[in-house]
């Protein structure tokens, strides 16, 4: 713990981004985020729909990828209050019993899972009084529990609310920049995980970076 | 010549008339042949035909049948049978012989007579039992397998019996026997004489390598002959058939197969072994060969004809006058024989855990005396083991017990099997599991199908008529059989009756269509997957009755199109969806157009076809233009997120709801 804070950048956390979007030409924010993420050095980027257009996900390859990384990012648009189907398929078959969970299933233990998602409704809509009736974290509880069962830490999700109108509102560039900073901070272990644990969601303006990282910035 | 033609005609006609009637009445072909034989016996007597010598000729059908049985049985399977073969089979022979001998002694026969009778009657009829079991599809059932083990063991047991018989000879007893029936004496003797003449050759009499040799060389020669069959069978078959295949003549294969069986039978006869046993062994050796099905389909017609002839002669040789004179005695002896043998078999069935209806099948099926009894009775008379008068009577008992067998099978079918209905369903399931997939044509296409099926654990039988292809595949350890899949007999040998599926992957498009046509009609239970060369061939195959048709180049074309889209920059998932959509539309059009396709008119002159094609195209274009869905345009309906208006409407709706 102490040596990581002492020498930031010396031990890079290995980060992998799983991107799932079934129709790139209809994307408002995700394709831009994905492009930016691919340009971040030192992280692994996987476009699941491109890698497995016929859904024939290779469990052994995916498990090896997971073994080689410490931080797993799911980047996806919320659709029907869930992940796109390929990401669910990925969870269904890659997170095997005896490997990811259950007896002897400790291979993901200690790793971290972060959801980077976009939602059509506004932040107000995702509240007890909003028209979606529940906060966004409620809709992400399946992922949160999945992480928990795999003994992974579930970080506060990085969310773009009102994604449908974000282009008109000009909020995309800031969100993309924030995404890149988040990925870099994860990679360099500069995200203040304790602070992040106390937050509901992360946004480009509310990234809890460690003091020395802020100082560097 | 005319005699020969007349005789052939009479035998063939009798079979052709009687067997279908018997089958229709549910009596089975064996009883049909037997009845046909009885019907023509007066005619044969009038023509002064030597029925018994014809019978010996026809017994070669048994040899062929055992060859075919061997072909079905891989060496491994035979080895797995060893416990049953020795235990069950050995005990059956010993037990039945002992019980029958005891009964004979109780009836007042001297001990040597009794032992001879016991041994003779212990054997069952391989011909009747195997033929009936195969016909009823019971061969693979537990009872069928147990019966087969016993029959095989009996075939082996004949060899020591033949050696033992001369030791039982007691010429002084011959006079003691009361001249029970003088008229019978003549008939029995005639029967016996015929046998002894014919069988001199069969069992080491006339032409023999081993007569007069001391035991050691004799054993060595015998073992050498067996080794020759095994080694020759496994090493020579391939080069011989490859050589014959060069001539590319169907009848040459038949000739080769016949030559092989006859040759082995001859070799076995010369060294004093049972020819049936020898050919059985050869069959087992060849069970793993890729020429197995070819051999099977070549030999099978001869087997069928000869066995039919054999059964006819059994019926025809029944001595009615002797039967009439001793009616009650003979019937009593026959019933006694069936009861004793059946009883021994039933007890053995319990000991060897033959369960349920199978035990009854086993006990009733093998209760008769067999064709070997004729041979042994003849030999017994010739060697003064039994008096001719007694032998003549016993021949009738043997015949009657064989005649009764189809009746016992009917009893099993109608009365016993239904009571074990549960056990029967289980048996049926077992057979079901062994249902195989026949793949006709193991080229680039059929080979892929075969590999996929085999890795999934399915049994496949691959037929290919290209012997070079065959050689190549064998180098890669792929099991294929030589043969032209369009021949019904070869399909039969490959097990089309039990098969679940036929994959038609032969190159010639017309042959493929004919094959589909034949199998849909003759074996409607078989699911057919056929490869079409092109769109028109699809229609031809559809017309022939196939409903699962795969175009050989369609899928690769679709894949190439998909690859092209990806290479041009389209996202792989979108490209996949487009390719999928194309496939769906094309298949729909193809299925619709099949109904108006007419092979006799070129497509562009077929008005309904052209009209429908245009109609479908217009429909599909309209569908593509009007595809619904949020941002979805055109035909991509993969993803339709809400619009700005939707979000606003939702927010306003909620605001109104909370404002009230």
């Amino acid at each position: 713990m102490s040596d990581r804070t002492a020498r930031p950048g010396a031990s890079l956390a290995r980060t992998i981004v799983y991107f799932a979007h079934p129709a790139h030409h209809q994307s408002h924010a995700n394709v831009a985020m994905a492009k930016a993420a691919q340009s971040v050095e030192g992280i692994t980027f996987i476009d699941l729909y491109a890698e497995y257009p016929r859904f024939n996900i290779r469990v052994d390859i995916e498990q090896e990828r997971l073994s080689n990384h410490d931080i797993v990012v799911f980047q996806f648009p919320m659709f029907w209050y869930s992940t796109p189907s390929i990401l669910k398929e990925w969870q269904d078959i890659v997170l095997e019993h005896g490997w990811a969970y259950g007896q002897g299933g400790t291979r993901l233990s200690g790793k971290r899972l972060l959801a980077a998602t976009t939602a059509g409704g506004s932040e107000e809509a995702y509240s007890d009084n909003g028209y979606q009736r529940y906060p966004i974290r409620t809709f992400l509880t399946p992922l949160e529990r999945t992480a928990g069962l795999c003994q992974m830490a579930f970080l506060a999700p990085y969310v773009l609310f009102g994604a449908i109108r974000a282009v008109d509102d000009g909020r995309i560039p800031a969100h993309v920049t924030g995404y890149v900073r988040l990925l870099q901070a994860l990679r360099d272990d500069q995200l203040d995980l304790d602070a992040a644990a106390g937050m509901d969601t992360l946004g480009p303006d509310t990234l809890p970076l460690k003091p020395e990282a802020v100082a560097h910035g | 010549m005319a005699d020969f033609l007349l005789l052939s005609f009479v035998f063939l006609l009798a079979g052709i008339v009687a067997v279908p009637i018997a089958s229709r009445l549910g009596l089975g072909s064996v009883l049909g042949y037997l009845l046909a034989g009885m019907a023509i016996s007066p005619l044969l007597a009038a023509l002064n035909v030597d029925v018994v010598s014809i019978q010996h000729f026809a017994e070669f059908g048994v040899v062929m049948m055992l060859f075919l049985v061997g072909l079905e049985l891989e060496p491994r399977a035979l080895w797995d049978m060893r416990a049953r073969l020795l235990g069950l089979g050995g005990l059956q022979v010993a037990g039945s012989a002992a019980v029958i001998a005891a009964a004979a002694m109780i009836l007042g026969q001297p001990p040597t007579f009794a032992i001879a009778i016991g041994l003779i009657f212990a054997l069952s009829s391989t011909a009747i039992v195997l033929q009936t079991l195969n016909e009823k599809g019971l061969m693979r059932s537990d009872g069928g397998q147990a019966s087969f083990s016993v029959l095989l063991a009996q075939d082996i047991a004949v060899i020591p019996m033949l050696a033992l018989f001369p030791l039982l000879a007691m010429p002084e007893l011959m006079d003691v026997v009361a001249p029970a029936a003088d008229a019978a004496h003549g008939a029995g003797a005639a029967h016996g004489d015929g046998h002894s003449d014919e069988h001199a050759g069969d069992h080491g009499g006339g032409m023999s390598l081993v007569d007069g040799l001391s035991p050691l060389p004799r054993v060595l020669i015998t073992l050498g002959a067996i080794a020759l069959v095994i080694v020759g069978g496994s090493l020579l078959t391939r080069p011989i058939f490859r050589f014959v295949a060069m001539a590319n003549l169907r009848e040459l294969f038949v000739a080769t197969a016949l030559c092989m069986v006859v040759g082995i039978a001859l070799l076995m006869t010369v060294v004093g072994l049972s020819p049936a046993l020898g050919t059985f062994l050869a069959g087992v050796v060849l069970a793993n060969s890729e020429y197995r099905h070819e051999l099977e389909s070549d030999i099978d017609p001869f087997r069928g004809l000869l066995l039919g002839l054999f059964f006819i002669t059994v019926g025809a040789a029944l001595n009615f006058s002797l039967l009439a004179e001793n009616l009650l005695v003979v019937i009593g002896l026959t019933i006694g024989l069936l009861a004793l043998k059946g009883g021994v078999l039933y007890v053995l069935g319990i000991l060897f855990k033959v369960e349920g209806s199978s035990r009854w099948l086993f006990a009733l099926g093998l209760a008769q005396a067999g064709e070997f009894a004729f041979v042994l009775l003849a030999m017994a008379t010739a060697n003064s083991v039994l008096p001719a008068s007694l032998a003549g009577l016993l021949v009738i008992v043997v015949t009657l017990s064989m005649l009764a067998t189809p009746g016992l099978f009917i009893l099993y079918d109608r009365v016993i099997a239904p009571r074990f209905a549960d056990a029967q369903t289980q048996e049926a399931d077992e057979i079901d599991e062994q249902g195989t997939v026949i793949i006709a044509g193991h080229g680039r296409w059929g080979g892929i199908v075969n590999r996929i099926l085999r890795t999934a654990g399915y049994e496949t039988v691959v037929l290919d008529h290209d012997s070079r292809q065959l050689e190549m595949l064998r180098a890669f350890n792929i099991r294929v059989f030589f043969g032209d899949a369009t021949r019904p007999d070869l399909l039969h040998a490959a097990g089309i009756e039990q098969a679940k599926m036929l994959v038609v992957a032969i190159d010639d498009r017309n042959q493929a269509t004919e094959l589909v046509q034949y199998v849909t009609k003759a074996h409607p239970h078989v699911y057919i997957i056929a490869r079409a060369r092109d769109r028109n061939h699809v229609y031809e195959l559809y017309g022939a009755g196939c409903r699962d048709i795969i175009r050989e180049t369609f899928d690769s074309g679709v894949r190439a199109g998909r690859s092209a889209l990806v290479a041009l920059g389209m996202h792989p998932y979108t490209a996949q969806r487009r390719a999928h959509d194309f496939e769906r539309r094309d298949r729909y059009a193809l299925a619709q157009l099949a109904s108006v396709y007419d092979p006799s008119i070129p497509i562009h002159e077929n008005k309904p076809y052209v009209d429908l094609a245009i109609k479908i195209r217009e429909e599909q274009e309209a569908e593509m233009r009007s595809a619904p869905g949020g941002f979805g345009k055109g035909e991509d309906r993969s993803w339709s997120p809400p619009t700005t208006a939707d979000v606003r409407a939702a927010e306003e709706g909620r605001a109104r709801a909370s404002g009230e």
Side-chain angles (χ1 to χ4, degrees):
Chain A
M1 200 60 152
S2 58
D3 66 2
R4 262 192 282 171
T5 45
R7 292 183 282 120
S11 66
L12 296 182
R14 295 167 300 174
T15 304
I16 184 167
V17 176
Y18 279 110
F19 170 55
H21 194 299
H24 287 195
H25 55 283
Q26 288 175 15
S27 163
H28 300 101
N30 271 289
V31 169
M33 287 168 69
K35 276 203 181 116
Q38 278 170 280
S39 68
V40 177
E41 261 181 56
I43 68 163
T44 310
F45 183 89
I46 306 293
D47 178 350
L48 278 176
Y49 275 105
E51 186 117 342
Y52 303 114
R54 287 168 289 289
F55 277 57
N56 46 353
I57 294 168
R58 289 278 304 274
V59 174
D60 45 355
I61 287 180
E62 292 308 322
Q63 289 183 346
E64 195 179 336
R65 279 179 176 155
L66 288 176
S67 298
N68 291 335
H69 294 86
D70 303 319
I71 297 167
V72 181
V73 178
F74 286 171
Q75 188 209 318
F76 60 94
M78 284 276 269
F79 206 67
W80 289 119
Y81 307 107
S82 181
T83 62
S85 56
I86 201 167
L87 195 51
K88 180 60 165 61
E89 173 76 1
W90 184 95
Q91 295 168 53
D92 289 354
I93 71 169
V94 176
L95 303 180
E96 276 184 316
H97 182 267
W99 189 89
Y101 76 103
Q103 204 158 26
T106 55
R107 307 295 285 274
L108 299 177
S109 178
K111 296 182 192 287
R112 291 170 198 139
L113 180 67
L114 178 117
T117 188
T118 60
S122 62
E123 190 158 12
E124 299 75 52
Y126 283 97
S127 66
D128 292 339
N129 296 320
Y131 74 86
Q132 300 286 24
R133 290 168 189 258
Y134 303 99
I136 190 84
R137 286 296 292 261
T138 306
F139 295 104
L140 293 174
T141 44
L143 282 182
E144 190 171 344
R145 281 311 308 140
T146 299
L149 203 58
C150 297
Q151 301 171 42
M152 297 171 83
F154 186 73
L155 306 180
Y158 183 72
V159 182
L160 174 66
F161 288 104
I164 308 280
R165 283 187 299 206
V167 180
D168 298 341
D169 298 350
R171 287 186 284 127
I172 301 288
H175 191 78
V176 170
T177 310
Y179 186 45
V180 170
R181 286 189 67 200
L182 171 63
L183 292 176
Q184 286 167 341
L186 285 170
R187 176 195 68 190
D188 302 339
D189 197 16
Q190 287 177 351
L191 197 72
D192 185 339
L193 296 172
D194 291 335
M199 298 169 73
D200 274 345
T201 59
L202 306 179
D205 305 326
T206 57
L207 292 178
L209 300 179
K210 287 178 181 169
E212 70 269 36
V214 177
H216 282 297
Chain B
M1 185 65 181
D3 278 359
F4 170 72
L5 290 179
L6 176 65
L7 213 54
S8 308
F9 183 73
V10 168
F11 277 115
L12 289 170
L13 186 67
I16 292 167
V17 172
V19 173
I21 295 175
S23 296
R24 170 61 68 86
L25 295 176
L27 305 177
S29 70
V30 175
L31 193 55
Y33 282 122
L34 292 171
L35 293 173
M38 288 198 264
I40 61 169
S41 69
L43 181 64
L44 295 176
L47 289 170
N48 213 4
V49 174
D50 182 3
V51 174
V52 173
S53 65
I54 295 177
Q55 188 172 63
H56 294 313
F57 169 68
E59 268 171 22
F60 199 68
V62 180
V63 173
M64 289 178 158
M65 181 168 62
L66 274 155
F67 178 68
L68 295 177
V69 168
L71 276 180
E72 296 273 330
L73 201 69
E74 291 175 18
R76 212 192 149 68
L78 183 63
W79 180 246
D80 289 344
M81 277 172 61
R82 65 194 184 281
R84 274 196 162 179
L85 202 60
L86 295 178
L88 187 58
L91 282 177
Q92 186 276 332
V93 175
S96 301
V99 172
I100 294 166
M105 284 177 72
I106 292 169
L107 290 175
Q109 299 294 339
T112 55
F113 287 18
I115 292 172
I117 294 170
L119 289 174
I120 290 169
F121 280 179
L123 305 176
S124 312
S125 172
T126 310
I128 292 181
V129 178
L130 287 194
Q131 172 87 357
T132 312
L133 288 177
N134 272 327
E135 207 168 286
K136 295 184 183 299
L138 292 169
M139 202 51 199
R140 287 170 194 264
S141 72
D142 196 32
Q145 288 293 308
S147 306
F148 176 69
S149 307
V150 169
L151 288 170
L152 205 57
Q154 291 177 353
D155 266 356
I156 299 169
V158 170
I159 301 162
M161 279 188 201
L162 288 168
L164 185 68
F165 260 47
L167 304 179
L168 292 172
M170 294 255 171
E172 66 277 10
L173 281 177
M174 292 302 110
D175 310 323
V176 182
V177 177
D182 275 335
H185 191 103
H191 208 122
D193 288 347
H195 275 289
S196 52
D197 289 348
E198 286 300 319
H199 277 278
D202 275 10
H203 297 287
M207 198 171 68
S208 173
L209 279 176
V210 290
D211 260 13
L213 287 176
S214 53
L216 184 64
R218 195 174 176 141
V219 167
L220 285 180
I221 288 179
T222 309
L223 289 180
I226 294 175
L228 187 65
V229 168
I230 293 175
V231 175
S234 44
L235 293 184
L236 290 179
T237 318
R238 236 166 239 163
I240 291 174
F241 270 87
R242 217 178 298 152
F243 173 72
V244 171
M246 289 196 302
N248 215 2
L249 275 178
R250 165 111 174 78
E251 59 270 27
L252 267 191
F253 278 105
V254 181
T256 313
L258 271 181
C259 179
M260 206 153 138
V261 174
V262 172
I264 293 163
L266 180 68
L267 176 69
M268 290 295 118
T269 304
V270 165
V271 301
L273 286 177
S274 148
L277 200 65
T279 46
F280 170 76
L281 207 59
V284 174
V285 171
L286 292 173
N288 281 325
S289 144
E290 63 271 33
Y291 292 101
R292 167 180 140 195
H293 292 297
E294 176 74 32
L295 283 167
E296 219 172 317
S297 61
D298 286 343
I299 294 291
D300 198 55
F302 293 99
R303 192 250 348 155
L305 285 174
L306 284 176
L307 274 188
L309 182 61
F310 172 74
F311 296 133
I312 291 181
T313 57
V314 170
L318 187 62
N319 188 329
F320 281 102
S321 54
L322 191 57
L323 171 63
E325 280 167 42
N326 302 287
L327 191 63
L328 291 179
V329 177
V330 170
I331 289 180
L333 286 176
T334 306
I335 292 173
L337 167 66
L338 293 173
L340 288 179
K341 274 188 89 170
V344 170
L345 287 163
Y346 192 85
V347 171
L348 287 175
I350 296 173
L351 288 178
F352 282 80
K353 299 200 168 53
V354 183
E355 302 291 343
S357 65
S358 273
R359 189 186 299 156
W360 280 103
L361 175 69
F362 176 64
L364 293 177
L366 294 173
Q368 79 293 99
E371 52 276 0
F372 275 120
F374 296 134
V375 180
L376 292 171
L377 279 170
M379 197 183 164
T381 347
N383 286 309
S384 308
V385 178
L386 290 175
S389 57
L390 182 62
L393 214 60
L394 293 180
V395 164
I396 296 182
V397 173
V398 173
T399 310
L400 278 187
S401 74
M402 286 165 84
L403 271 169
T405 304
L408 293 180
F409 273 112
I410 292 167
L411 177 74
Y412 168 81
D413 262 355
R414 308 244 167 108
V415 180
I416 293 165
R419 291 199 187 166
F420 290 91
D422 288 347
Q424 276 293 314
T425 13
Q426 267 183 347
E427 266 172 32
D429 278 345
E430 244 171 66
I431 294 165
D432 209 42
E433 251 175 48
Q434 295 180 325
T436 51
V437 179
I438 299 176
I439 298 178
H442 195 289
R444 291 168 302 169
W445 199 89
I448 292 171
V449 179
N450 186 35
R451 275 160 57 197
I452 289 179
L453 288 173
R454 291 200 77 91
T455 50
Y458 287 96
E459 274 296 311
T460 58
V461 178
V462 176
L463 302 172
D464 202 296
H465 66 274
D466 182 347
S467 57
R468 273 166 309 177
Q469 166 83 351
L470 225 60
E471 235 167 285
M472 197 268 287
L473 294 170
R474 205 176 39 244
F476 290 96
N477 281 337
I478 295 171
R479 265 169 63 93
V480 284
F481 295 101
F482 177 84
D484 177 358
T486 54
R487 271 169 41 204
D489 56 343
L490 198 78
L491 277 178
H492 169 78
I496 189 86
E497 278 85 6
Q498 288 88 40
K500 274 187 183 158
M501 183 184 288
L502 169 71
V503 178
V504 180
I506 48 181
D507 285 337
D508 187 297
R509 57 188 289 159
N510 293 329
Q511 278 192 353
T513 312
E514 280 163 28
L515 178 57
V516 167
Q517 203 150 25
Y518 167 73
V519 176
T520 358
K521 293 228 170 65
H523 307 286
H525 72 281
V526 176
Y527 185 91
I528 305 174
I529 296 177
R531 170 179 65 164
R533 306 297 296 212
D534 54 36
R535 187 173 277 251
N536 290 350
H537 195 208
V538 171
Y539 299 139
E540 286 161 25
L541 290 167
Y542 188 88
C546 185
R547 290 296 174 270
D548 196 343
I549 305 163
I550 315 288
R551 281 174 282 171
E552 68 172 348
T553 52
F554 181 74
D555 286 334
S556 62
V558 170
R559 285 181 61 181
R562 197 177 62 208
S563 269
L565 289 178
V566 173
L568 288 169
M570 189 181 276
H571 188 269
Y573 185 61
T574 314
Q576 160 67 14
R577 293 187 61 84
R578 280 194 170 266
H580 199 78
D581 207 60
F582 172 82
E583 231 177 287
R584 180 177 60 81
R585 289 177 200 284
D586 188 84
R587 277 220 189 95
Y588 171 79
L590 196 70
Q592 293 294 305
L593 290 167
S595 57
V596 288
Y597 175 77
D598 185 344
S600 57
I601 327 172
I603 280 185
H604 61 278
E605 287 173 22
N606 183 339
K607 183 89 169 61
Y609 185 96
V610 173
D611 288 350
L612 185 58
I614 292 172
K615 184 167 159 271
I616 290 171
R617 200 183 62 212
E618 283 172 354
E619 275 173 12
Q620 294 194 338
E621 282 173 2
E623 193 189 323
M624 283 187 246
R625 279 193 299 271
S626 68
F631 292 103
K633 291 286 186 298
E635 53 186 312
D636 188 358
R637 295 172 65 176
S638 64
W639 181 246
S640 52
T643 61
T644 318
D646 296 326
V647 174
R648 193 175 302 127
E651 280 168 354
E652 282 164 5
R654 181 70 186 177
R656 262 203 308 281
S658 55
E660 277 165 12

